[in-house]
Amino acid sequence: LNWSLYSGVSVLAGWIIITLIVFTSKRPLVIISGLMITTLSALFIIDILSAGQEWFLPAALPITVAVFMAVVIVMIIYKYVNLKGLNVIASGFIVLSGLLIIIEMVLDNYLKTNIDLRWSLIAAVSILPVALLLFFYYYRLKKGKRLDSYFHV
């Protein structure tokens, strides 16, 4: 019967998330803050329900806040900076690179108490050329050049 508490928390969180999306679809700030509060609350309750090692404050809270901050940064870039099309995707990739590094730092600090960046640097370095390529294509296409002239098709 102990497992039903986990599923109950998850179903309630899912219901709140769907309700937020349906009733506040025109206000993204309300949606993002409501999603973050709901997610953090569900993770906190699951941490309380699971006996043993506490993981909410050292791991779940910073990672969840970092993910939502990354989403807010991409939304700000899209709305207030004059970036459209491939630029938004490239900016999202750059933000994702930073988010991966933050996630590894938090997890290393929680699991090993020392920070040793490995997989996140490889992923970030792999994502950055794709972002630069998207920026390049966007600005080349903006100047009126066609892509087939680059690829000799």
Side-chain angles (χ1 to χ4, degrees):
L1 192 60
N2 203 11
W3 61 268
S4 65
L5 297 175
Y6 294 105
S7 62
V9 169
S10 300
V11 168
L12 180 65
W15 182 79
I16 292 171
I17 288 170
I18 290 171
T19 303
L20 276 170
I21 292 171
V22 168
F23 290 114
T24 61
S25 61
K26 302 290 183 201
R27 299 186 308 224
L29 183 63
V30 173
I31 290 177
I32 295 298
S33 59
L35 288 175
M36 186 167 107
I37 291 169
T38 303
T39 304
L40 287 173
S41 300
L43 289 172
F44 181 70
I45 293 170
I46 290 172
D47 183 33
I48 290 173
L49 291 175
S50 61
Q53 192 174 15
E54 291 186 12
W55 48 266
F56 177 76
L57 282 177
L61 178 67
I63 290 174
T64 305
V65 170
V67 166
F68 279 99
M69 290 304 294
V71 170
V72 167
I73 288 170
V74 171
M75 288 175 63
I76 288 171
I77 287 172
Y78 178 73
K79 187 164 184 153
Y80 296 112
V81 180
N82 194 14
L83 298 179
K84 304 291 183 218
L86 293 176
N87 277 348
V88 176
I89 298 170
S91 301
F93 280 159
I94 291 173
V95 171
L96 178 66
S97 301
L99 177 65
L100 291 174
I101 292 171
I102 291 171
I103 288 172
E104 186 176 14
M105 290 171 63
V106 168
L107 289 177
D108 280 350
N109 193 26
Y110 173 66
L111 296 172
K112 299 187 276 185
T113 65
N114 65 339
I115 297 173
D116 184 25
L117 297 177
R118 293 178 183 222
W119 61 267
S120 64
L121 285 179
I122 294 170
V125 168
S126 300
I127 290 173
L128 287 179
V130 175
L132 293 175
L133 186 69
L134 290 174
F135 278 128
F136 173 75
Y137 280 149
Y138 177 78
Y139 285 114
R140 281 296 176 190
L141 291 177
K142 192 174 182 179
K143 290 182 180 180
K145 299 254 182 177
R146 293 183 41 180
L147 283 181
D148 60 355
S149 65
Y150 288 110
F151 296 117
H152 305 293
V153 177

